[in-house]
Amino acid sequence: DVVFHIKWSHTSNGQTQVWLNGKQALDYTGINAYADGFYTKIGIYKWPWGESPQRGSGVDQHVIYVDDFRVGNEKATYQDVAP
């Protein structure tokens, strides 16, 4: 299980915190977004997977499972979104 707390910012007041299986794994303060915008995307983003089987690796299928996706507002706590 992974929980993210992110305050998007293109300045030094951005914040990124990550918990992995209930234990905090990252606590970062600083730039975490571009000045021209940001948004949440979930998926497999690996170029050139759409072109050919991994250049000889034999991998021709890619699967990701996402469940229990929750979004909180600025008042949400870890407990509000934790699995």
Side-chain angles (χ1 to χ4, degrees):
D1 291 321
V2 182
V3 174
F4 294 92
H5 169 244
I6 302 173
K7 177 185 174 189
W8 299 112
S9 179
H10 67 278
T11 67
S12 61
N13 70 340
Q15 185 176 25
T16 304
Q17 296 173 307
V18 180
W19 288 262
L20 182 58
N21 295 322
K23 182 177 178 183
Q24 191 167 16
L26 178 68
D27 189 359
Y28 168 79
T29 301
I31 297 170
N32 61 6
Y34 293 110
D36 61 351
F38 43 86
Y39 55 94
T40 301
K41 271 175 92 169
I42 296 176
I44 300 174
Y45 301 96
K46 174 80 170 105
W47 189 262
W49 279 2
E51 293 178 359
S52 64
Q54 292 302 294
R55 297 183 180 169
S57 71
V59 176
D60 61 1
Q61 181 178 357
H62 313 283
V63 178
I64 184 172
Y65 297 98
V66 176
D67 71 346
D68 217 5
F69 184 81
R70 301 174 190 178
V71 177
N73 63 19
E74 66 277 1
K75 296 179 182 176
T77 66
Y78 175 85
Q79 289 74 24
D80 291 332
V81 298

